[in-house]
Amino acid sequence: MNGPDITGASRRPGRLRIAVVGAGRVGAVLAAALRQAGHDVVAATGVSDASVSRIEAMLPGVAIVPPDEAVKAAELVLLTVPDDAIAPVAAGLAKVGAWRPGQLVVHTAGRHGIAVLTEAAGHSIVPLAIHPAMTFSGTSLDLARLTDAVFAVTAPPGMLPIAQALVVEMGGEPVVIEEWDRPVYHAALVHGANHVVTAVTQASAMLARIGIEDPSRVLAPLTHASVDGALRDAPGAVASLTGPVVRGDAGTVASHLEALADQPEALFAYRAMARATADLALRGGRIGPAVYADLIATLGEP
């Protein structure tokens, strides 16, 4: 095979040979960050034009090889494939004998712990789950954003310092998440980030429908203030609640439901979030039981 050496013959002492299987936005950036920390990225896998271009841009000089060759060349493997592909890819590599005893294998899925690796790749590897709590563009801009980013780490007993050290080398802050808590951790991130985008998108569409040309100018001050306040007051954030629910304005809520009657997706989301807001306001003492009951009756079935 022509191309860069992937044997590690010339690597520096104390550094790991790293391969990235699945050079998507996350894998390429994390591999580049570890390379900056002095480790040797010796191989990467990429099939699509986008993946190949990303490897060439983020990991210049790194050999592009099939997954089994990449794994066999490395001491640490970044298995940065989609969540549902982790187990099948790991199992496939085990079937062809690619894994080696004691090899470090890192996946970056938020919802999975280490069981997904040990069940698929076998118990001879050292599985590490390291999830960066940030979005990725797959460009060099992400390298700076890794600094002080929080990474959720899960590892076998005795191996946690390795996972934490890798995060620190990338500039991040490791936070330990137990195996059984990974789904809740990931659900929290999705609910607090992705669902906010959904809510803002729906709200923007409502404003656009009534002729507001730039909904972001209307929503931006409110949205930024609300999110900043909620983060400041977390986890309770009751003090940050505003709007008709915490005021007990059931009539206003009823008018909203009527106005959204021809927008079923937005209506469903509004009703569900208003109920959740009412629950939060009741628990936090912002409204009493009578007002809560009135609001819930107004909201009706979700």
Side-chain angles (χ1 to χ4, degrees):
M1 178 186 64
N2 295 325
D5 172 48
I6 63 173
T7 65
S10 62
R11 68 192 177 97
R12 287 162 286 180
R15 298 291 81 189
L16 293 170
R17 294 193 305 272
I18 295 175
V20 52
V21 176
R25 295 181 179 184
V26 177
V29 170
L30 297 189
L34 289 170
R35 195 185 207 186
Q36 283 188 346
H39 295 285
D40 295 327
V41 180
V42 297
T45 70
V47 177
S48 69
D49 291 342
S51 293
V52 172
S53 296
R54 192 176 294 114
I55 294 168
E56 292 173 347
M58 297 295 296
L59 302 167
V62 170
I64 301 176
V65 299
D68 60 327
E69 291 186 30
V71 169
K72 290 175 181 178
E75 295 163 320
L76 183 152
V77 177
L78 290 173
L79 189 61
T80 46
V81 296
D83 293 12
D84 290 344
I86 293 172
V89 172
L93 289 166
K95 191 173 182 179
V96 298
W99 302 117
R100 298 195 311 274
Q103 193 170 35
L104 299 172
V105 184
V106 177
H107 79 70
T108 58
R111 73 180 178 97
H112 289 301
I114 58 175
V116 68
L117 288 175
T118 54
E119 292 170 3
H123 293 270
S124 64
I125 65 163
V126 177
L128 305 174
I130 300 177
H131 176 257
M134 58 175 274
T135 57
F136 285 79
S137 65
T139 69
S140 59
L141 295 175
D142 295 331
L143 292 173
R145 297 176 61 238
L146 287 175
T147 302
D148 297 328
V150 171
F151 287 65
V153 298
T154 306
M159 297 298 169
L160 194 57
I162 295 176
Q164 292 171 314
L166 289 170
V167 170
V168 171
E169 284 190 310
M170 290 185 282
E173 176 187 349
V175 174
V176 178
I177 304 293
E178 299 292 348
E179 177 83 14
W180 51 87
D181 287 332
R182 297 284 294 206
V184 174
Y185 155 80
H186 196 233
L189 267 59
V190 169
H191 193 47
N194 301 143
H195 294 173
V196 169
V197 173
T198 302
V200 171
T201 299
Q202 290 181 338
S204 297
M206 294 176 200
L207 293 174
R209 285 188 61 179
I210 61 172
I212 295 180
E213 294 182 359
D214 187 3
S216 66
R217 291 194 62 194
V218 179
L219 290 172
L222 291 170
T223 302
H224 288 309
S226 296
V227 171
D228 289 346
L231 292 172
R232 182 184 62 245
D233 299 334
V238 177
S240 301
L241 288 175
T242 62
V245 170
V246 293
R247 292 195 301 267
D249 292 338
T252 298
V253 172
S255 73
H256 293 170
L257 299 178
E258 183 178 355
L260 297 175
D262 62 343
Q263 302 175 58
E265 291 183 358
L267 177 62
F268 181 86
Y270 180 98
R271 183 176 273 129
M273 292 307 298
R275 291 176 69 92
T277 301
D279 291 342
L280 182 60
L282 178 65
R283 289 196 303 270
R286 294 289 302 275
I287 60 175
V291 171
Y292 175 82
D294 191 21
L295 288 166
I296 295 301
T298 300
L299 289 166
E301 294 297 323

PDB file of all heavy atoms in Angstrom, residues 136-156:
ATOM      1  N   PHE A 136     -21.010  20.182  16.223  1.00  0.00           N
ATOM      2  CA  PHE A 136     -19.795  20.188  15.422  1.00  0.00           C
ATOM      3  C   PHE A 136     -20.090  20.617  13.991  1.00  0.00           C
ATOM      4  O   PHE A 136     -21.100  20.213  13.407  1.00  0.00           O
ATOM      5  CB  PHE A 136     -19.172  18.784  15.391  1.00  0.00           C
ATOM      6  CG  PHE A 136     -18.469  18.398  16.662  1.00  0.00           C
ATOM      7  CD1 PHE A 136     -19.194  17.974  17.769  1.00  0.00           C
ATOM      8  CD2 PHE A 136     -17.093  18.470  16.754  1.00  0.00           C
ATOM      9  CE1 PHE A 136     -18.560  17.611  18.943  1.00  0.00           C
ATOM     10  CE2 PHE A 136     -16.436  18.113  17.924  1.00  0.00           C
ATOM     11  CZ  PHE A 136     -17.168  17.679  19.023  1.00  0.00           C
ATOM     12  N   SER A 137     -19.172  21.394  13.444  1.00  0.00           N
ATOM     13  CA  SER A 137     -19.245  21.762  12.034  1.00  0.00           C
ATOM     14  C   SER A 137     -18.327  20.888  11.188  1.00  0.00           C
ATOM     15  O   SER A 137     -18.431  20.854   9.970  1.00  0.00           O
ATOM     16  CB  SER A 137     -18.843  23.229  11.846  1.00  0.00           C
ATOM     17  OG  SER A 137     -17.468  23.419  12.194  1.00  0.00           O
ATOM     18  N   GLY A 138     -17.403  20.177  11.853  1.00  0.00           N
ATOM     19  CA  GLY A 138     -16.450  19.350  11.131  1.00  0.00           C
ATOM     20  C   GLY A 138     -15.304  20.132  10.528  1.00  0.00           C
ATOM     21  O   GLY A 138     -14.628  19.655   9.634  1.00  0.00           O
ATOM     22  N   THR A 139     -15.069  21.341  11.027  1.00  0.00           N
ATOM     23  CA  THR A 139     -13.997  22.196  10.529  1.00  0.00           C
ATOM     24  C   THR A 139     -13.055  22.571  11.662  1.00  0.00           C
ATOM     25  O   THR A 139     -13.305  22.277  12.836  1.00  0.00           O
ATOM     26  CB  THR A 139     -14.559  23.482   9.902  1.00  0.00           C
ATOM     27  OG1 THR A 139     -15.131  24.302  10.950  1.00  0.00           O
ATOM     28  CG2 THR A 139     -15.642  23.166   8.862  1.00  0.00           C
ATOM     29  N   SER A 140     -11.984  23.276  11.305  1.00  0.00           N
ATOM     30  CA  SER A 140     -11.000  23.683  12.304  1.00  0.00           C
ATOM     31  C   SER A 140     -11.583  24.637  13.346  1.00  0.00           C
ATOM     32  O   SER A 140     -11.016  24.799  14.426  1.00  0.00           O
ATOM     33  CB  SER A 140      -9.794  24.327  11.620  1.00  0.00           C
ATOM     34  OG  SER A 140     -10.206  25.459  10.862  1.00  0.00           O
ATOM     35  N   LEU A 141     -12.711  25.261  13.043  1.00  0.00           N
ATOM     36  CA  LEU A 141     -13.355  26.140  14.022  1.00  0.00           C
ATOM     37  C   LEU A 141     -13.733  25.388  15.285  1.00  0.00           C
ATOM     38  O   LEU A 141     -13.758  25.955  16.383  1.00  0.00           O
ATOM     39  CB  LEU A 141     -14.608  26.785  13.408  1.00  0.00           C
ATOM     40  CG  LEU A 141     -14.394  27.737  12.228  1.00  0.00           C
ATOM     41  CD1 LEU A 141     -15.736  28.182  11.659  1.00  0.00           C
ATOM     42  CD2 LEU A 141     -13.578  28.947  12.659  1.00  0.00           C
ATOM     43  N   ASP A 142     -14.026  24.095  15.136  1.00  0.00           N
ATOM     44  CA  ASP A 142     -14.438  23.302  16.296  1.00  0.00           C
ATOM     45  C   ASP A 142     -13.296  23.089  17.284  1.00  0.00           C
ATOM     46  O   ASP A 142     -13.541  22.858  18.468  1.00  0.00           O
ATOM     47  CB  ASP A 142     -14.964  21.935  15.844  1.00  0.00           C
ATOM     48  CG  ASP A 142     -16.237  22.035  15.021  1.00  0.00           C
ATOM     49  OD1 ASP A 142     -16.991  22.992  15.232  1.00  0.00           O
ATOM     50  OD2 ASP A 142     -16.457  21.154  14.175  1.00  0.00           O
ATOM     51  N   LEU A 143     -12.067  23.132  16.818  1.00  0.00           N
ATOM     52  CA  LEU A 143     -10.936  22.882  17.707  1.00  0.00           C
ATOM     53  C   LEU A 143     -10.896  23.898  18.843  1.00  0.00           C
ATOM     54  O   LEU A 143     -10.648  23.543  19.998  1.00  0.00           O
ATOM     55  CB  LEU A 143      -9.629  22.887  16.918  1.00  0.00           C
ATOM     56  CG  LEU A 143      -9.452  21.725  15.932  1.00  0.00           C
ATOM     57  CD1 LEU A 143      -8.203  21.941  15.079  1.00  0.00           C
ATOM     58  CD2 LEU A 143      -9.372  20.401  16.682  1.00  0.00           C
ATOM     59  N   ALA A 144     -11.144  25.155  18.521  1.00  0.00           N
ATOM     60  CA  ALA A 144     -11.161  26.188  19.564  1.00  0.00           C
ATOM     61  C   ALA A 144     -12.359  26.007  20.488  1.00  0.00           C
ATOM     62  O   ALA A 144     -12.270  26.266  21.693  1.00  0.00           O
ATOM     63  CB  ALA A 144     -11.186  27.573  18.924  1.00  0.00           C
ATOM     64  N   ARG A 145     -13.473  25.535  19.935  1.00  0.00           N
ATOM     65  CA  ARG A 145     -14.681  25.377  20.735  1.00  0.00           C
ATOM     66  C   ARG A 145     -14.595  24.198  21.698  1.00  0.00           C
ATOM     67  O   ARG A 145     -15.376  24.104  22.646  1.00  0.00           O
ATOM     68  CB  ARG A 145     -15.892  25.209  19.811  1.00  0.00           C
ATOM     69  CG  ARG A 145     -16.157  26.441  18.941  1.00  0.00           C
ATOM     70  CD  ARG A 145     -17.296  26.225  17.965  1.00  0.00           C
ATOM     71  NE  ARG A 145     -18.530  25.940  18.639  1.00  0.00           N
ATOM     72  CZ  ARG A 145     -19.258  24.839  18.454  1.00  0.00           C
ATOM     73  NH1 ARG A 145     -18.857  23.922  17.590  1.00  0.00           N
ATOM     74  NH2 ARG A 145     -20.370  24.658  19.115  1.00  0.00           N
ATOM     75  N   LEU A 146     -13.647  23.283  21.465  1.00  0.00           N
ATOM     76  CA  LEU A 146     -13.451  22.174  22.392  1.00  0.00           C
ATOM     77  C   LEU A 146     -12.942  22.654  23.744  1.00  0.00           C
ATOM     78  O   LEU A 146     -13.174  22.002  24.766  1.00  0.00           O
ATOM     79  CB  LEU A 146     -12.447  21.168  21.817  1.00  0.00           C
ATOM     80  CG  LEU A 146     -12.906  20.287  20.660  1.00  0.00           C
ATOM     81  CD1 LEU A 146     -11.739  19.458  20.144  1.00  0.00           C
ATOM     82  CD2 LEU A 146     -14.048  19.381  21.083  1.00  0.00           C
ATOM     83  N   THR A 147     -12.246  23.790  23.744  1.00  0.00           N
ATOM     84  CA  THR A 147     -11.698  24.317  24.989  1.00  0.00           C
ATOM     85  C   THR A 147     -12.811  24.609  25.976  1.00  0.00           C
ATOM     86  O   THR A 147     -13.736  25.378  25.690  1.00  0.00           O
ATOM     87  CB  THR A 147     -10.885  25.601  24.728  1.00  0.00           C
ATOM     88  OG1 THR A 147      -9.846  25.298  23.793  1.00  0.00           O
ATOM     89  CG2 THR A 147     -10.281  26.131  26.019  1.00  0.00           C
ATOM     90  N   ASP A 148     -12.731  23.960  27.126  1.00  0.00           N
ATOM     91  CA  ASP A 148     -13.707  24.103  28.214  1.00  0.00           C
ATOM     92  C   ASP A 148     -15.062  23.473  27.907  1.00  0.00           C
ATOM     93  O   ASP A 148     -16.007  23.636  28.692  1.00  0.00           O
ATOM     94  CB  ASP A 148     -13.904  25.577  28.602  1.00  0.00           C
ATOM     95  CG  ASP A 148     -12.634  26.208  29.137  1.00  0.00           C
ATOM     96  OD1 ASP A 148     -11.843  25.475  29.766  1.00  0.00           O
ATOM     97  OD2 ASP A 148     -12.424  27.416  28.921  1.00  0.00           O
ATOM     98  N   ALA A 149     -15.194  22.759  26.781  1.00  0.00           N
ATOM     99  CA  ALA A 149     -16.429  22.023  26.536  1.00  0.00           C
ATOM    100  C   ALA A 149     -16.533  20.868  27.530  1.00  0.00           C
ATOM    101  O   ALA A 149     -15.521  20.297  27.950  1.00  0.00           O
ATOM    102  CB  ALA A 149     -16.460  21.485  25.105  1.00  0.00           C
ATOM    103  N   VAL A 150     -17.745  20.522  27.896  1.00  0.00           N
ATOM    104  CA  VAL A 150     -17.963  19.413  28.823  1.00  0.00           C
ATOM    105  C   VAL A 150     -18.063  18.109  28.032  1.00  0.00           C
ATOM    106  O   VAL A 150     -18.749  18.043  27.003  1.00  0.00           O
ATOM    107  CB  VAL A 150     -19.244  19.643  29.652  1.00  0.00           C
ATOM    108  CG1 VAL A 150     -19.584  18.393  30.465  1.00  0.00           C
ATOM    109  CG2 VAL A 150     -19.077  20.845  30.572  1.00  0.00           C
ATOM    110  N   PHE A 151     -17.372  17.072  28.498  1.00  0.00           N
ATOM    111  CA  PHE A 151     -17.428  15.748  27.895  1.00  0.00           C
ATOM    112  C   PHE A 151     -17.973  14.767  28.935  1.00  0.00           C
ATOM    113  O   PHE A 151     -17.434  14.692  30.055  1.00  0.00           O
ATOM    114  CB  PHE A 151     -16.038  15.266  27.484  1.00  0.00           C
ATOM    115  CG  PHE A 151     -15.447  15.932  26.274  1.00  0.00           C
ATOM    116  CD1 PHE A 151     -15.139  17.285  26.282  1.00  0.00           C
ATOM    117  CD2 PHE A 151     -15.183  15.203  25.128  1.00  0.00           C
ATOM    118  CE1 PHE A 151     -14.566  17.894  25.177  1.00  0.00           C
ATOM    119  CE2 PHE A 151     -14.618  15.797  24.009  1.00  0.00           C
ATOM    120  CZ  PHE A 151     -14.313  17.147  24.032  1.00  0.00           C
ATOM    121  N   ALA A 152     -18.992  14.014  28.576  1.00  0.00           N
ATOM    122  CA  ALA A 152     -19.501  12.962  29.458  1.00  0.00           C
ATOM    123  C   ALA A 152     -18.649  11.723  29.259  1.00  0.00           C
ATOM    124  O   ALA A 152     -18.521  11.218  28.144  1.00  0.00           O
ATOM    125  CB  ALA A 152     -20.952  12.657  29.131  1.00  0.00           C
ATOM    126  N   VAL A 153     -18.046  11.215  30.342  1.00  0.00           N
ATOM    127  CA  VAL A 153     -17.163  10.054  30.235  1.00  0.00           C
ATOM    128  C   VAL A 153     -17.703   8.894  31.069  1.00  0.00           C
ATOM    129  O   VAL A 153     -18.192   9.075  32.180  1.00  0.00           O
ATOM    130  CB  VAL A 153     -15.719  10.391  30.663  1.00  0.00           C
ATOM    131  CG1 VAL A 153     -15.126  11.456  29.759  1.00  0.00           C
ATOM    132  CG2 VAL A 153     -15.666  10.850  32.112  1.00  0.00           C
ATOM    133  N   THR A 154     -17.615   7.714  30.477  1.00  0.00           N
ATOM    134  CA  THR A 154     -17.973   6.466  31.146  1.00  0.00           C
ATOM    135  C   THR A 154     -16.895   5.451  30.794  1.00  0.00           C
ATOM    136  O   THR A 154     -16.490   5.355  29.633  1.00  0.00           O
ATOM    137  CB  THR A 154     -19.343   5.949  30.680  1.00  0.00           C
ATOM    138  OG1 THR A 154     -20.329   6.981  30.855  1.00  0.00           O
ATOM    139  CG2 THR A 154     -19.767   4.718  31.467  1.00  0.00           C
ATOM    140  N   ALA A 155     -16.416   4.725  31.804  1.00  0.00           N
ATOM    141  CA  ALA A 155     -15.309   3.799  31.573  1.00  0.00           C
ATOM    142  C   ALA A 155     -15.369   2.679  32.598  1.00  0.00           C
ATOM    143  O   ALA A 155     -16.015   2.802  33.644  1.00  0.00           O
ATOM    144  CB  ALA A 155     -13.978   4.540  31.675  1.00  0.00           C
ATOM    145  N   PRO A 156     -14.683   1.574  32.320  1.00  0.00           N
ATOM    146  CA  PRO A 156     -14.618   0.489  33.303  1.00  0.00           C
ATOM    147  C   PRO A 156     -13.861   0.936  34.551  1.00  0.00           C
ATOM    148  O   PRO A 156     -13.088   1.900  34.502  1.00  0.00           O
ATOM    149  CB  PRO A 156     -13.838  -0.622  32.570  1.00  0.00           C
ATOM    150  CG  PRO A 156     -13.861  -0.242  31.132  1.00  0.00           C
ATOM    151  CD  PRO A 156     -13.937   1.248  31.094  1.00  0.00           C
TER     152      PRO A 156
END
